[in-house]
Amino acid sequence: MLNQATLAALMAGDHSDPFSILGMHQVDGKLTVRALMPGAVNVALVEIKTDRQLVSLERIEGSDIFTAVVPRRKNPFPYRLRIDWGSHQQELEDPYRFPPILGEMDVWLLAEGTHIRPYEKLGAHLTEMEGVSGVSFAVWAPNARRVSVVGSFNNWDGRRHMMRLRRECGIWEIFVPHLAAGDLYKLEIKGQDGSLHLKADPFAFRSELRPNTASVVQPIAPVYPSTPERRQANSLQSPISVYEVHLGSWRLVPDDGCRWLTYRELAEQLIPYVKDLGFTHIELLPVSEHPFDGSWGYQPTGMYAPTSRFGTPDEFRQFVETAHANGIGVLLDWVPGHFPTDAHGLARFDGTHLYEHSDPREGFHQDWNTLIYNYGRKEVANYLIGNGLYWIERFGIDGLRVDAVASMLYRDYSRKEGEWIPNQYGGRENLEAIEFLRRVNGIVHTQRSEATTMAEESTSFPGVSRPVEQGGLGFSFKWNMGWMHDTLKYMQEDPVHRRYHHDQMTFGLVYAFSENFILPLSHDEVVHGKGSILSRMPGDEWQRFANLRAYYGFMWGHPGKKLLFMGSEFGQYAEWNANSSLDWHLLEYPVHSGVQRLIRDLNAVYRHFPALHQLDSEPRGFEWISHDDRDNSVFSFIRRADDGDFIVVVSNFTPVPRHAYRIGVPQEGNYREIINTDNNVYGGSGVGNGMLRANPVGSHGRSWSLEMTIPPLATIMLKLEP
């Protein structure tokens, strides 16, 4: 007989080891079976092999626990429970008759925090045990008093499927027979203080559409094949021109309540659009499940679940496959820097500060009202590192753009004196975060060598995109935030004043090859009152568009990979509004369609001529012709390829055409304009040169030179004819 304390604990859902009591056990030499069945009238034991009812279980008085001694049996055997619910009968497999789920090696690696693919073991997995199909559940909650799987399959009753604790690693597990894909579930966690927490599964592969927050049983996606083509497309020497997109507001369907496009519709509309404009990659604002639309995905609660806003995980994978079939790589904004405080998420997951720091000086982002991961806790780091690999390995994501790296690197990020805790050496660097980032990059690059990683990092932290073995963080690329801020500030100046700010356009070349840079004009630059890129350009209507086109030409000529946020490619007037569609109607006007055509042509020449991309990260790929013509606000430089082929780039950032302007060039021959942002087809004034012949007249330290007309507020690119 069970004592009253054990009965009370089981009935209250407060027993930490239900597997030691429930199910089939040898007790005092007798084979005994026990089942906790709230609401049942009668329970009987059925032998699976013979399909015979062997014994009826008796209810223990004052409880919903049924028990019986199995007659004439000594050894455990497979069985089912035949349950009379009063209104109907049902036969169920008893989850407490099945063995542990995790193997010894998995337990070892998970406890050590070195399991490269924790998502293959933790979470919910469709599986078969002892010939029975169902779902295995496993969750890390080492400080919980009790953990249960709840859902409609057990009336959300935490007493029905209390899990087994693997004390070696702090993971709770259970196999629930008969569950299938599409079933909803959550984890009911009782803390040591008796508090109940109803949580979504941190490793759930699918989630309900907000505002609902349950996890959904979903088959894990198969491993996505690696190809030499993807590896080449993501290399340092390849053209990388990125179109950054927020899927919820790129284009809405006006005839259907202005709803979002689905993943399938995005594959049909967005991918051809990106391909037509010549972008090599598309970067998605975070698609990990998130509760609040207004966070744009940057406050995720379901790191392993593509958001259900646009469809299923399978449909998201098909979106990626469509992109690849069209030669487009897919990059994903990835957020390991912080997470929201929503009750169903990771905050105080097992009743303690498990994923986050307990001290708000370490564990709370004041800027975003979010929590900070405890990177020093090996299981937390393993959860995140596995997630980065998961997106690449299971969905074919080509690269991770890691969000808010600067906030991760420094303990005093956006904090006043006394609001942060120094590291063990008294410094401001977050040593645990630095080690975490190195591990992420190391594992991603060794496990999937075709993948790339990109850091949104705005400080002077050294070696962000240098190998770990050389003391770097190991990223493939770093966003060049300094270039972005300097050049945008310059472009906002009235042309008559630009001579006094000339260095803002040249300073980026002082450090251009210290990292592998991406030049970003991202979503952050077109929100929160900053206006659109076009709206920052000075002058009348014509000058604003001319400035924009000249700026884009300068950007595509400048060393560094390119990134442009959606809407900027056709000169949207208004700043980005995540709640509405882009202003596609503007393309009816030539000035806007002209900007779009320029982007298409810039991408075409960028991809076609290795001089514009091959040596982006090497000093030998760039050479100034003139960087000091402040009075005319003219910049001229040479971009070179590995074989010595070159492109000449000249920008004039005043509305005055510069006639008979001479620049030195490397060699004699005919030079053809391959880009002129003042071309009529782009909405310009049509001032240009067509073909130019180099003369043996010395200029800028060279024996040959070109005499040209530089159009007003324009960038031109010149190619030596063979």
Side-chain angles (χ1 to χ4, degrees):
M1 295 294 293
L2 300 177
N3 61 46
Q4 289 299 315
T6 299
L7 286 174
L10 287 169
M11 286 301 299
D14 201 26
H15 200 288
S16 62
D17 190 12
F19 276 82
S20 67
I21 306 297
L22 303 176
M24 187 174 282
H25 299 274
Q26 289 184 340
V27 180
D28 296 331
K30 299 177 181 179
L31 196 60
T32 303
V33 63
R34 302 188 187 99
L36 174 56
M37 290 291 164
V41 176
N42 292 298
V43 180
L45 184 74
V46 177
E47 184 181 35
I48 290 177
K49 183 178 180 179
T50 62
D51 200 32
R52 289 192 305 117
Q53 180 172 315
L54 300 184
V55 64
S56 292
L57 281 66
E58 295 183 5
R59 183 192 298 271
I60 297 178
E61 186 177 353
S63 76
D64 288 316
I65 299 172
F66 295 78
T67 185
V69 173
V70 184
R72 299 181 297 279
R73 296 294 180 95
K74 294 183 178 181
N75 299 315
F77 57 90
Y79 66 92
R80 289 191 299 269
L81 297 174
R82 182 172 291 160
I83 305 166
D84 182 357
W85 297 106
S87 60
H88 65 285
Q89 285 194 344
Q90 184 182 27
E91 286 196 11
L92 295 175
E93 301 284 350
D94 185 358
Y96 293 97
R97 80 169 179 86
F98 292 95
I101 296 169
L102 297 177
E104 290 185 7
M105 183 57 68
D106 292 316
V107 168
W108 175 276
L109 294 175
L110 289 167
E112 192 178 54
T114 58
H115 202 301
I116 294 176
R117 297 173 177 85
Y119 49 85
E120 293 182 347
K121 299 301 176 181
L122 298 177
H125 291 269
L126 292 162
T127 188
E128 185 176 292
M129 293 192 74
E130 299 185 357
V132 179
S133 62
V135 176
S136 64
F137 295 91
V139 60
W140 178 58
N143 304 308
R145 185 192 297 181
R146 183 263 296 171
V147 180
S148 300
V149 178
V150 295
S152 55
F153 54 88
N154 62 14
N155 294 322
W156 302 91
D157 188 339
R159 298 171 298 173
R160 298 284 186 95
H161 293 96
M162 294 181 285
M163 303 172 80
R164 172 195 290 115
L165 173 61
R166 303 296 298 271
R167 298 186 184 278
E168 320 94 299
C169 56
I171 291 172
W172 299 75
E173 60 173 23
I174 194 171
F175 172 72
V176 181
H178 308 306
L179 294 193
D183 283 336
L184 302 181
Y185 71 98
K186 280 191 175 184
L187 301 164
E188 185 180 274
I189 300 175
K190 179 170 281 192
Q192 290 296 330
D193 61 356
S195 59
L196 276 180
H197 308 267
L198 197 58
K199 297 289 188 177
D201 182 359
F203 282 87
F205 300 136
R206 186 176 175 184
S207 299
E208 275 192 297
L209 177 62
R210 55 92 179 112
N212 297 323
T213 58
S215 301
V216 183
V217 174
Q218 168 75 18
I220 188 171
V223 174
Y224 199 99
S226 173
T227 66
E229 292 78 13
R230 299 294 348 128
R231 183 177 296 108
Q232 177 61 34
N234 298 326
S235 74
L236 289 175
Q237 292 74 36
S238 295
I240 295 181
S241 179
V242 183
Y243 186 65
E244 189 189 25
V245 175
H246 176 252
L247 293 179
S249 59
W250 179 72
R251 178 180 290 163
L252 301 179
V253 182
D255 297 334
D256 192 8
C258 281
R259 67 167 176 83
W260 300 309
L261 294 176
T262 65
Y263 289 126
R264 289 182 176 178
E265 291 169 329
L266 287 161
E268 295 168 354
Q269 299 180 39
L270 175 58
I271 297 304
Y273 179 78
V274 173
K275 181 179 182 180
D276 175 65
L277 289 185
F279 288 98
T280 64
H281 293 71
I282 183 171
E283 181 176 318
L284 307 179
L285 270 63
V287 299
S288 299
E289 194 58 80
H290 51 283
F292 177 49
D293 294 351
S295 78
W296 313 329
Y298 288 99
Q299 294 193 16
T301 51
M303 289 289 282
Y304 285 80
T307 179
S308 54
R309 288 165 173 80
F310 315 116
T312 68
D314 292 337
E315 290 167 342
F316 175 70
R317 180 173 158 125
Q318 290 164 10
F319 170 86
V320 177
E321 291 172 347
T322 301
H324 288 167
N326 285 274
I328 306 296
V330 181
L331 309 174
L332 186 66
D333 273 16
W334 187 55
V335 190
H338 57 107
F339 60 95
T341 59
D342 295 69
H344 69 281
L346 296 181
R348 295 187 61 86
F349 186 75
D350 64 355
T352 68
H353 297 283
L354 186 64
Y355 283 85
E356 71 273 27
H357 293 275
S358 58
D359 192 322
R361 292 176 295 172
E362 293 183 288
F364 187 75
H365 262 307
Q366 298 173 344
D367 291 352
W368 307 313
N369 293 322
T370 53
L371 301 173
I372 302 172
Y373 289 104
N374 185 347
Y375 307 108
R377 184 165 285 162
K378 56 187 183 296
E379 296 92 344
V380 175
N382 202 43
Y383 165 74
L384 293 169
I385 293 168
N387 182 253
L389 182 60
Y390 166 79
W391 287 104
I392 294 166
E393 190 167 70
R394 297 293 176 161
F395 289 96
I397 295 299
D398 291 86
L400 304 174
R401 176 268 194 185
V402 183
D403 179 64
V405 170
S407 75
M408 300 170 66
L409 294 177
Y410 297 103
R411 289 172 166 265
D412 63 346
Y413 179 85
S414 194
R415 294 179 187 273
K416 300 176 183 178
E417 188 68 32
E419 294 179 348
W420 60 282
I421 300 176
N423 64 34
Q424 59 183 311
Y425 304 109
R428 56 193 288 259
E429 295 80 10
N430 189 327
L431 303 179
E432 295 81 8
I434 291 169
E435 178 60 25
F436 161 73
L437 291 170
R438 287 172 171 164
R439 283 190 61 201
V440 169
N441 287 313
I443 287 176
V444 166
H445 291 143
T446 55
Q447 296 297 314
R448 298 298 293 235
S449 60
E450 79 277 13
T452 185
T453 56
M454 305 168 175
E456 185 206 20
E457 208 285 310
S458 58
T459 75
S460 57
F461 191 93
V464 171
S465 59
R466 293 295 177 256
V468 172
E469 56 270 21
Q470 297 178 15
L473 292 182
F475 283 95
S476 309
F477 296 98
K478 172 181 173 175
W479 275 24
N480 195 336
M481 312 291 278
W483 175 91
M484 177 192 68
H485 290 303
D486 286 345
T487 58
L488 278 175
K489 188 175 181 181
Y490 175 89
M491 293 304 301
Q492 288 178 263
E493 298 290 343
D494 188 292
V496 74
H497 297 138
R498 284 175 177 168
R499 68 178 65 189
Y500 306 111
H501 304 273
H502 198 77
D503 293 344
Q504 289 177 329
M505 295 296 269
T506 61
F507 183 66
L509 272 305
V510 173
Y511 59 86
F513 310 107
S514 62
E515 302 274 6
N516 304 324
F517 279 122
I518 293 174
L519 309 182
L521 293 178
S522 73
H523 69 278
D524 282 326
E525 301 314 306
V526 294
V527 290
H528 302 319
K530 296 178 182 177
S532 67
I533 303 298
L534 174 65
S535 71
R536 301 193 205 182
M537 302 296 119
D540 59 23
E541 189 78 349
W542 186 91
Q543 289 193 22
R544 292 170 70 190
F545 278 93
N547 271 301
L548 183 68
R549 295 191 302 267
Y551 183 43
Y552 286 163
F554 179 83
M555 175 180 175
W556 258 253
H558 195 284
K561 309 307 182 186
K562 325 301 176 190
L563 180 140
L564 193 65
F565 184 60
M566 64 182 198
S568 301
E569 79 277 11
F570 58 80
Q572 179 156 309
Y573 282 112
E575 74 173 21
W576 173 48
N577 180 356
N579 298 317
S580 62
S581 178
L582 295 181
D583 295 331
W584 294 104
H585 65 279
L586 294 177
L587 287 170
E588 299 173 8
Y589 301 95
V591 286
H592 293 280
S593 61
V595 174
Q596 186 190 60
R597 180 168 180 171
L598 173 63
I599 293 296
R600 184 185 294 112
D601 290 350
L602 284 171
N603 278 329
V605 299
Y606 172 69
R607 296 176 69 163
H608 182 73
F609 295 108
L612 290 174
H613 62 256
Q614 193 177 63
L615 301 178
D616 266 330
S617 302
E618 299 185 42
R620 63 193 179 98
F622 176 87
E623 184 180 349
W624 278 116
I625 297 173
S626 174
H627 60 79
D628 56 1
D629 189 359
R630 297 173 176 272
D631 291 338
N632 293 310
S633 296
V634 170
F635 305 84
S636 55
F637 53 87
I638 297 168
R639 296 296 310 281
R640 295 186 184 276
D642 201 32
D643 62 2
D645 196 25
F646 64 92
I647 301 289
V648 175
V649 182
V650 185
S651 295
N652 173 16
F653 287 108
T654 68
V656 180
R658 303 299 176 184
H659 299 291
Y661 193 95
R662 186 170 294 277
I663 64 168
V665 291
Q667 63 190 76
E668 64 175 320
N670 294 320
Y671 288 74
R672 176 173 56 90
E673 274 186 354
I674 56 175
I675 284 291
N676 180 346
T677 66
D678 192 49
N679 196 309
N680 295 125
V681 297
Y682 306 138
S685 61
V687 175
N689 300 275
M691 189 75 72
L692 292 168
R693 178 72 184 176
N695 301 313
V697 177
S699 182
H700 298 102
R702 294 172 175 81
S703 301
W704 297 84
S705 62
L706 298 172
E707 185 178 276
M708 67 178 67
T709 295
I710 312 178
L713 293 174
T715 294
I716 61 174
M717 296 183 185
L718 302 166
K719 176 71 176 68
L720 179 66
E721 288 288 275

